[in-house]
Amino acid sequence: MKNYGICALLSIVLLGIGGAVQESAAGEAQARVFEIRTYTTPPGKLDELHKRFREHTMKFFERHGMTNVAYWTPQDPKLADTTLVYVLAHQSRETAKANWQAFSADPEWQRVRAESEAKGPIVTKVESVFLDATDYSPMQ
């Protein structure tokens, strides 16, 4: 994982965006797992990726049980024009797997993806890291 991904997570902790623990319907606490994802685009394609996220992807994530936490682009000039970093929250690692499978199989998502990539792929590399809050994390 690149250093900017870790910095992104630290920003979440320091700003208190979202909690590591949420209440279930029964009122009992349940831990969430966070997923930092880093997408690399071909040169000149980052704006198209932003458009797809802005207009479609975030809604599909929510539809399939994923919580949008935050999205960033790096300040580093070597990465700024080709990189999107974001964080999702899931109820568990197992839930994340099921969420991603449902998202990927969604026919409407497949249509949107195909349309957005009609002139070629807009993502060349995807990195994913799952994280749990430590026992001393302020997010506890």
Side-chain angles (χ1 to χ4, degrees):
M1 184 63 168
K2 306 269 191 273
N3 287 339
Y4 57 82
I6 299 304
C7 290
L9 181 62
L10 289 174
S11 296
I12 293 168
V13 172
L14 294 174
L15 295 173
I17 299 172
V21 177
Q22 57 187 28
E23 295 292 319
S24 71
E28 54 201 32
Q30 61 186 74
R32 295 192 294 176
V33 62
F34 292 94
E35 181 181 11
I36 295 180
R37 294 181 66 90
T38 304
Y39 286 13
T40 303
T41 68
K45 296 288 188 172
L46 185 59
D47 286 342
E48 292 176 45
L49 182 62
H50 285 309
K51 182 178 193 272
R52 186 168 78 185
F53 267 85
R54 189 179 298 110
E55 295 177 5
H56 304 286
T57 308
M58 293 175 69
K59 294 171 193 161
F60 283 108
F61 286 167
E62 292 291 334
R63 179 186 299 175
H64 293 289
M66 298 179 241
T67 301
N68 293 290
V69 176
Y71 290 78
W72 299 271
T73 52
Q75 290 186 350
D76 182 330
K78 293 191 308 188
L79 301 172
D81 295 331
T82 60
T83 308
L84 171 65
V85 178
Y86 65 98
V87 175
L88 297 173
H90 306 273
Q91 290 180 351
S92 68
R93 185 79 180 256
E94 295 76 24
T95 302
K97 183 178 179 181
N99 292 346
W100 279 112
Q101 287 174 343
F103 168 81
S104 297
D106 185 314
E108 192 176 346
W109 162 247
Q110 291 173 359
R111 179 189 57 77
V112 166
R113 181 178 179 187
E115 288 174 3
S116 68
E117 295 182 346
K119 296 178 185 173
I122 60 175
V123 175
T124 56
K125 182 178 179 185
V126 175
E127 295 176 70
S128 173
V129 176
F130 285 91
L131 304 153
D132 291 317
T134 60
D135 64 344
Y136 53 86
S137 173
M139 292 176 25
Q140 296 293 326

